[in-house]
Amino acid sequence: MSAQRAKLEEIHSGWNKGSVRVTKKQLVLYCLLISLLLYLLRGRRTAVRVDTPPLHLFLATGSEVRDALEGSVEQQQHLPLETSWGAPLVWGDSESSARRRAAFIHRRVRTGLMTLAVGPYAHFLHRFLSSAELYFLPGNTVIYYILTDSPRALDPPPALGPGRELRVVPVAEAHGWDRLSHRRMALLAAAIKEHARPEVAYIYCMDVDQELVATVGHEILGKLVATLHPELYGKPRNAFPYEREASSLAGVMEDEGDYYYTSELYGGLCAEVHAMALACAQLILQDQEKGVRARGLEESYLNRYLINHRPTCVLSPEYSWWDSALSANVPTQRVVSLGRRCDALEPQKRQGQGC
């Protein structure tokens, strides 16, 4: 009996030893299978999270679906949306710009768009106006103020949409870019006071050799609005071409300045823009009387003024852009400079590009 029990114990012992060996092999296999399964499940959850739109998108409009799937501009590119002093920094497709546009949906705002077209720049007029009709505050009341020494450049007059009007303001011919740049602020100040202020709430001044290529909406409206220079956006302050000559009234100290603004587009409430243009015109005149010429001409005085009177709204380089190795990458080009593009072309190629 004891011998039989011993034999059974030996057999069970063998089973137990064998079963232990099999269990270890199975355990290793099970671990491998479980790890593989978890990996596959984790990948599937990630794919579902990225590629499958949430349920509420099936109830949204096409544009809302696109925006939700692609994400907002600021989320994708981490674009700054505010200046250090709290002014909005405007990118047209950002959520903050959408909110700014929504605030004006039910408001009737009359806005002026003013440009100076003298001498050889008059031939840009039709292209400028045609693009503004398409993209500048579409569907809203806009009055174009054209300061020109060539009224015939508008023959035949461009076709305007509902709520759009054209005012031609004759000015004396100015020979040469230097003379024009010294006179422009004074001309704009006078035109805003005499023509725009009685008619519109906001006025925007834009170079005539620019073309609007995407929507410029209510997101640009503000008390005092300036536009970042595309070639200097993101650069350190010591790279800004501020006027450094101490004798000039446009002079900027090394520790002054936040951004460098372009003179190709600025605006705001009529009273604010008039005050800025008039102040710059007076500084230019005083420097002329002393025989001082700022390196950036009117743009130097504009930047000096905007250091002392920070803009309440800053437009990103989307609103003044040109093709250059130095120009910042922007999500959307909204206003492009034909003049700058033409300057970069060889003389024989300019005519074909409408220069």
Side-chain angles (χ1 to χ4, degrees):
M1 188 73 176
S2 60
Q4 185 178 9
R5 181 179 295 175
K7 184 65 173 176
L8 290 173
E9 288 178 354
E10 183 180 350
I11 293 172
H12 283 296
S13 177
W15 285 353
N16 289 337
K17 290 179 181 178
S19 64
V20 169
R21 286 194 297 272
V22 171
T23 300
K24 287 181 178 179
K25 293 178 181 178
Q26 290 175 333
L27 183 60
V28 171
L29 180 60
Y30 290 156
C31 288
L32 290 173
L33 289 174
I34 290 171
S35 298
L36 179 61
L37 183 61
L38 289 174
Y39 176 81
L40 292 174
L41 287 174
R42 188 180 297 112
R44 180 175 178 79
R45 284 198 299 270
T46 302
V48 170
R49 188 163 56 247
V50 172
D51 297 330
T52 303
L55 179 60
H56 73 273
L57 290 184
F58 292 104
L59 304 177
T61 64
S63 60
E64 290 170 337
V65 171
R66 182 195 65 233
D67 292 343
L69 291 177
E70 293 180 353
S72 60
V73 171
E74 61 267 36
Q75 289 173 332
Q76 291 180 26
Q77 305 193 22
H78 308 292
L79 299 172
L81 299 176
E82 194 174 82
T83 67
S84 61
W85 61 93
L89 203 168
V90 178
W91 305 88
D93 291 330
S94 68
E95 292 179 3
S96 56
S97 289
R99 289 193 294 271
R100 289 171 65 83
R101 287 190 291 270
F104 284 91
I105 287 178
H106 301 296
R107 293 177 58 185
R108 295 184 177 181
V109 179
R110 294 172 64 88
T111 305
L113 182 58
M114 184 173 288
T115 193
L116 183 63
V118 298
Y121 290 91
H123 82 277
F124 287 107
L125 261 176
H126 274 279
R127 193 164 179 174
F128 172 82
L129 288 170
S130 297
S131 69
E133 274 294 279
L134 288 174
Y135 296 116
F136 187 78
L137 296 173
N140 292 273
T141 300
V142 174
I143 299 179
Y144 300 108
Y145 297 95
I146 310 300
L147 283 60
T148 182
D149 59 358
S150 305
R152 291 184 178 179
L154 288 167
D155 290 335
L160 303 179
R164 323 286 274 204
E165 300 178 47
L166 180 67
R167 307 275 190 272
V168 177
V169 181
V171 297
E173 184 177 0
H175 296 283
W177 172 248
D178 282 4
R179 291 188 61 186
L180 174 60
S181 64
H182 282 103
R183 290 183 57 209
R184 187 164 81 156
M185 284 295 188
L187 292 171
L188 293 175
I192 292 170
K193 179 181 179 181
E194 297 173 17
H195 301 279
R197 287 188 70 171
E199 295 187 309
V200 296
Y202 295 91
I203 187 71
Y204 285 80
C205 303
M206 187 180 294
D207 281 3
V208 72
D209 61 351
Q210 295 191 99
E211 181 179 23
L212 289 81
V213 295
T215 301
V216 175
H218 284 123
E219 73 275 5
I220 70 168
L221 298 184
K223 184 178 178 181
L224 181 61
V225 182
T227 307
L228 298 180
H229 194 293
E231 293 186 332
L232 296 164
Y233 173 67
K235 300 293 191 299
R237 183 166 55 190
N238 59 14
F240 297 163
Y242 290 138
E243 177 57 46
R244 298 302 185 187
E245 179 57 55
S247 62
S248 173
L249 294 174
V252 175
M253 302 294 289
E254 290 186 0
D255 60 346
E256 290 186 297
D258 305 291
Y259 300 103
Y260 191 84
Y261 304 101
T262 178
S263 61
E264 302 208 357
L265 172 60
Y266 49 85
L269 292 174
C270 277
E272 294 291 330
V273 184
H274 174 258
M276 179 172 67
L278 183 61
C280 290
Q282 292 172 343
L283 295 179
I284 290 170
L285 180 60
Q286 291 175 53
D287 268 0
Q288 277 186 307
E289 291 174 347
K290 295 184 297 182
V292 175
R293 180 180 183 274
R295 62 182 294 189
L297 302 177
E298 66 180 273
E299 196 167 79
S300 294
Y301 298 92
L302 176 73
N303 276 274
R304 174 68 266 178
Y305 184 91
L306 292 171
I307 290 173
N308 295 341
H309 307 81
R310 282 171 162 168
T312 62
C313 178
V314 176
L315 304 183
S316 71
E318 290 186 331
Y319 297 86
S320 180
W321 193 89
W322 52 86
D323 190 8
S324 162
L326 298 176
S327 290
N329 291 324
V330 296
T332 304
Q333 299 166 21
R334 299 183 183 278
V335 182
V336 298
S337 173
L338 298 176
R340 302 269 187 167
R341 186 177 71 186
C342 290
D343 289 343
L345 294 175
E346 297 176 2
Q348 60 270 25
K349 295 182 180 180
R350 293 180 181 181
Q351 187 172 0
Q353 297 294 322
C355 298

